[in-house]
Amino acid sequence: MTNSPAPGAQAVRRALDILHCFHDNAPDLSASEMSRRLGLSTSTTHRLARTLLSADFLEQDPRTARYRLGPAVTELGRLSYHQRGLHLAAPELADLADRTGATADLALRSGPYAVIVAGGSVTPRTGLRRPLHSTALGKVLLAWPRPGEGGAESLPALRAFTDRTIVRRDRLEAELRQVRAERYALNDGESAQGVRTIAVPVLDHVESARFALAVRGTPELITTDRREWFLDRARACARALGILLLPPAERAAADTP
């Protein structure tokens, strides 16, 4: 016996896909741009967008008729940010950045992406998402997957961003074995030229990465000779975040002598 999709599930999936169109940090999109991205007819996209508009998940510029994310998304995002305790992570990340001179980021996994949820690496071109296979954050999240998540075998085709990007699955699997053995990941120009990143896991009690923590800079800042220095400070921050980002009940238990 096979499970049949619930009535209306396709419409819900398509509506969510419209919201996902904004993942690349596009400030606004027309209905025709969204329909091209999703492979839907313009009329279907209009209908779904109007439904999201009525529920405040989208809003529309009356002059241009272009859509952008609405206040309901902002509200839910802020609620999730605080419920996860991420407001507690911001001062720790700022302190790490001040002490190292690097950019400090915290990310969690969403499908084949690392999503930056706190820190400084958000740009108009790249938004919050980073591919798992070409980033230090992503390698950490792949090396210590949460229950139900896969490793390298779960990813789509591995896209090359520079001539250093790993695009063979067997090479990525070997890289992840090394990450687990050394307990940190390195991205040395694999996602962008002239960028070097070191990432470490924020682990839970079953050794799954709830988050990945990274420091990012130029090769002139994060030199090979100073790698251990950066690692020591990143790991200290990860240990602190491992307590701060526990669910409230678990955090209270951890604080009890």
Side-chain angles (χ1 to χ4, degrees):
M1 182 176 177
T2 59
N3 292 326
S4 300
Q10 184 183 52
V12 173
R13 178 71 259 178
R14 286 177 171 178
L16 293 173
D17 286 342
I18 284 181
L19 297 177
H20 285 307
C21 282
F22 295 88
H23 270 143
D24 63 358
N25 215 21
D28 54 32
L29 293 168
S30 68
S32 60
E33 287 170 337
M34 289 189 289
S35 66
R36 283 196 299 272
R37 290 184 180 208
L38 300 176
L40 298 175
S41 68
T42 303
S43 61
T44 297
T45 302
H46 266 297
R47 185 169 64 252
L48 292 167
R50 300 302 295 182
T51 300
L52 292 167
L53 186 67
S54 69
D56 287 336
F57 282 89
L58 290 179
E59 58 185 17
Q60 190 175 33
D61 188 317
R63 296 178 300 103
T64 65
R66 295 174 69 84
Y67 294 94
R68 56 181 173 262
L69 293 175
V73 176
T74 303
E75 179 185 6
L76 292 174
R78 292 297 294 173
L79 284 171
S80 176
Y81 184 82
H82 282 272
Q83 287 170 357
R84 289 178 178 271
L86 294 170
H87 60 294
L88 302 172
E92 296 290 334
L93 295 172
D95 181 63
L96 178 61
D98 286 343
R99 287 186 291 114
T100 61
T103 300
D105 289 319
L106 190 72
L108 51 72
R109 182 172 175 178
S110 178
Y113 297 99
V115 178
I116 295 174
V117 291
S121 292
V122 181
T123 69
R125 185 178 66 83
T126 59
L128 300 170
R129 290 180 150 202
R130 303 290 186 273
L132 292 176
H133 72 284
S134 64
T135 59
L137 288 167
K139 291 175 190 176
V140 162
L141 294 168
L142 283 169
W144 288 276
R146 293 174 298 181
E149 294 176 339
E153 79 288 346
S154 68
L155 301 181
L158 307 182
R159 175 186 167 194
F161 296 95
T162 74
D163 59 0
R164 294 188 176 189
T165 307
I166 297 174
V167 294
R168 282 176 39 192
R169 214 167 293 270
D170 60 336
R171 280 196 57 208
L172 180 59
E173 289 169 347
E175 177 89 354
L176 296 180
R177 287 193 292 272
Q178 182 176 340
V179 169
R180 285 189 290 270
E182 298 181 344
R183 302 191 75 80
Y184 79 93
L186 176 68
N187 166 16
D188 194 3
E190 296 168 49
S191 56
Q193 299 286 356
V195 176
R196 183 172 288 169
T197 308
I198 295 172
V200 296
V202 179
L203 298 170
D204 62 17
H205 66 286
V206 294
E207 288 278 296
S208 296
R210 290 185 294 131
F211 299 94
L213 169 69
V215 287
R216 178 178 62 87
T218 64
E220 291 74 26
L221 175 67
I222 305 177
T223 62
T224 301
D225 290 343
R226 298 189 73 206
R227 186 180 301 176
E228 288 298 324
W229 185 87
F230 279 95
L231 265 173
D232 287 345
R233 281 144 187 82
R235 285 170 171 156
C237 185
R239 286 192 294 271
L241 292 178
I243 300 298
L244 284 174
L245 298 178
L246 285 171
E250 293 181 36
R251 189 163 65 246
D255 289 339
T256 302

